[in-house]
Amino acid sequence: MRNDQKALRACLLASALLLGSVALRQDLGAQVIPVQYEELTAPDFVKAVEESNCTCIIPMGIIEKHGPHLPLGTDLLDARETAIRAAKREYAIVYPHYYFGQIFEAKHQPGTVAYSSKVIWDLLQETCDELSRNGIKKIILYSGHGGNSNFVRYFCNAQLEKRRDYAVYLFTPTSDSAAAASVKALRRTRDDGHAGENETSAMLVVRPDLVRIDQAKSQSGENQNRLGNLQNSFLGIWWYARYPNHYAGDGSQASRELGEVLLNNQVDQLVRMIREVKQDENALRLQRQFFDEAERPLETEQ
Ligand SMILES: [Zn+2]
């Protein structure tokens, strides 16, 4: 049997055992195992793989300036908190601190760590490979950093480059009308972006001790539109042209209430996604079928 078939069978078996193991845990009153990868013992890791139905979330952050008032690791702290809260509601393993991504546009700001494109690609692929070697066959990418958006989508596309015995699922939140209405009612600023009202509000929930709200107006987060009239062009320099302070919006208007709505909405959607991914039997099966077809020699006419 091929490795990917074995992996699929193991996941399906784990799927069947899943409900049973939860019931067993409740009956025995057994200690709940941590969701954080780095907090698991080696024997508990084996149980965690089973409990999660071979599912691990990689909360992806970055180290970059977040206006003059938020910590460099804002996206990392935020993504991890979201993933940990969600995984505690629907069990999945949460990968350790991961702050390797696309952030060239902030190289002119203090503290930014901008690894090369080759390194961030290889590191993510090898992280997935290592997870798979350890029995994880369903990998959820949860990107908390806007600068990663194109990178993580292309990374998912490129998983079809060659046969793999695991599937990579990218978290793609949808708009929730109830949450959107609450956000609208609570929002004080119109233009909001990097380190602005939303993101600062979320940090007021996740790590309020690190928010320097009194500094939030010490730099401008206004769009400076320095590329002028280039309406139909995309350039790497677009962000710097608009927001040279690496700050978009006004974080001084943040509130904890808004942060709670934003964070809870992300957590709810991630819980739903984890549940769907754990139950999913199609992705790995279709990947295998796809490569069986792609690798079949072409029939040539005689
Ligand atoms: Zn951010």
Side-chain angles (χ1 to χ4, degrees), residues 82-133:
T82 307
I84 289 168
R85 285 190 189 202
K88 282 182 175 169
R89 279 170 50 189
E90 180 63 46
Y91 192 86
I93 300 172
V94 178
Y95 196 77
H97 293 76
Y98 196 96
Y99 53 88
F100 318 103
Q102 189 297 119
I103 188 52
F104 296 128
E105 62 274 27
K107 280 178 80 171
H108 62 305
Q109 296 289 357
T112 301
V113 181
Y115 292 103
S116 69
S117 47
K118 185 180 183 318
V119 165
I120 64 167
W121 188 281
D122 289 350
L123 196 56
L124 189 54
Q125 194 72 71
E126 288 198 21
T127 299
C128 293
D129 290 348
E130 279 298 280
L131 284 173
S132 169
R133 196 177 60 77

Side-chain angles (χ1 to χ4, degrees), residues 26-42:
Q26 281 163 353
D27 285 351
L28 299 176
Q31 207 183 3
V32 176
I33 46 177
V35 296
Q36 290 102 314
Y37 196 118
E38 69 276 17
E39 294 186 6
L40 292 161
T41 60

Side-chain angles (χ1 to χ4, degrees), residues 11-12 15 18 51-57 86 89-92 137-140 167-174 266-284:
C11 275
L12 294 180
S15 209
L18 199 60
E51 184 75 20
S52 67
N53 196 16
C54 314
T55 306
C56 180
I57 310 167
R89 279 170 50 189
E90 180 63 46
Y91 192 86
K137 303 301 170 187
K138 297 173 173 184
I139 298 168
I140 296 175
V168 180
Y169 304 74
L170 177 64
F171 174 69
T172 48
T174 50
Q266 286 285 296
V267 172
D268 288 346
Q269 294 205 39
L270 187 55
V271 167
R272 192 170 64 213
M273 184 203 183
I274 297 169
R275 205 167 284 145
E276 288 168 358
V277 168
K278 284 169 77 172
Q279 288 168 359
D280 175 47
E281 296 175 3
N282 292 324
L284 279 166

Side-chain angles (χ1 to χ4, degrees), residues 5-299:
Q5 283 173 298
K6 273 193 237 162
L8 182 61
R9 223 178 59 160
C11 275
L12 294 180
L13 186 65
S15 209
L17 290 172
L18 199 60
L19 288 173
S21 77
V22 172
L24 184 70
R25 237 168 11 119
Q26 281 163 353
D27 285 351
L28 299 176
Q31 207 183 3
V32 176
I33 46 177
V35 296
Q36 290 102 314
Y37 196 118
E38 69 276 17
E39 294 186 6
L40 292 161
T41 60
D44 276 352
F45 180 84
V46 178
K47 290 183 206 155
V49 172
E50 186 184 304
E51 184 75 20
S52 67
N53 196 16
C54 314
T55 306
C56 180
I57 310 167
I58 306 179
M60 299 174 72
I62 204 82
I63 300 297
E64 61 168 335
K65 177 182 177 184
H66 269 79
H69 61 295
L70 295 180
L72 296 170
T74 290
D75 291 351
L76 179 68
L77 296 165
D78 200 17
R80 281 190 65 77
E81 180 68 19
T82 307
I84 289 168
R85 285 190 189 202
K88 282 182 175 169
R89 279 170 50 189
E90 180 63 46
Y91 192 86
I93 300 172
V94 178
Y95 196 77
H97 293 76
Y98 196 96
Y99 53 88
F100 318 103
Q102 189 297 119
I103 188 52
F104 296 128
E105 62 274 27
K107 280 178 80 171
H108 62 305
Q109 296 289 357
T112 301
V113 181
Y115 292 103
S116 69
S117 47
K118 185 180 183 318
V119 165
I120 64 167
W121 188 281
D122 289 350
L123 196 56
L124 189 54
Q125 194 72 71
E126 288 198 21
T127 299
C128 293
D129 290 348
E130 279 298 280
L131 284 173
S132 169
R133 196 177 60 77
N134 281 288
I136 301 292
K137 303 301 170 187
K138 297 173 173 184
I139 298 168
I140 296 175
L141 301 183
Y142 178 89
S143 176
H145 167 54
N148 267 348
S149 306
N150 294 328
F151 164 54
V152 288
R153 276 195 177 267
Y154 181 45
F155 182 84
C156 288
N157 285 146
Q159 296 311 294
L160 295 186
E161 192 174 10
K162 65 170 200 176
R163 189 188 286 271
R164 299 174 207 278
D165 69 349
Y166 56 86
V168 180
Y169 304 74
L170 177 64
F171 174 69
T172 48
T174 50
S175 70
D176 172 310
S177 53
S182 306
V183 169
K184 199 174 169 207
L186 290 165
R187 272 276 294 275
R188 296 173 186 147
T189 59
R190 255 195 31 215
D191 300 319
D192 182 65
H194 181 70
E197 187 184 351
N198 277 6
E199 207 168 14
T200 306
S201 296
M203 281 310 283
L204 284 175
V205 178
V206 174
R207 286 296 302 270
D209 56 315
L210 300 179
V211 179
R212 305 278 180 265
I213 203 81
D214 58 318
Q215 296 297 308
K217 273 195 172 302
S218 65
Q219 292 178 2
S220 167
E222 275 190 33
N223 181 353
Q224 299 190 15
N225 198 24
R226 296 183 297 169
L227 275 178
N229 273 338
L230 285 171
Q231 298 292 333
N232 296 88
S233 306
F234 178 81
L235 296 95
I237 203 71
W238 77 275
W239 177 260
Y240 176 73
R242 289 186 190 176
Y243 306 105
N245 292 326
H246 211 57
Y247 183 23
D250 181 1
S252 72
Q253 300 302 305
S255 69
R256 212 185 140 84
E257 294 85 337
L258 177 60
E260 292 281 3
V261 172
L262 294 167
L263 190 69
N264 289 337
N265 182 243
Q266 286 285 296
V267 172
D268 288 346
Q269 294 205 39
L270 187 55
V271 167
R272 192 170 64 213
M273 184 203 183
I274 297 169
R275 205 167 284 145
E276 288 168 358
V277 168
K278 284 169 77 172
Q279 288 168 359
D280 175 47
E281 296 175 3
N282 292 324
L284 279 166
R285 180 180 56 76
L286 286 169
Q287 270 183 219
R288 194 181 72 230
Q289 186 182 323
F290 173 80
F291 280 102
D292 286 348
E293 286 181 38
E295 290 164 6
R296 191 180 300 146
L298 288 178
E299 284 169 21

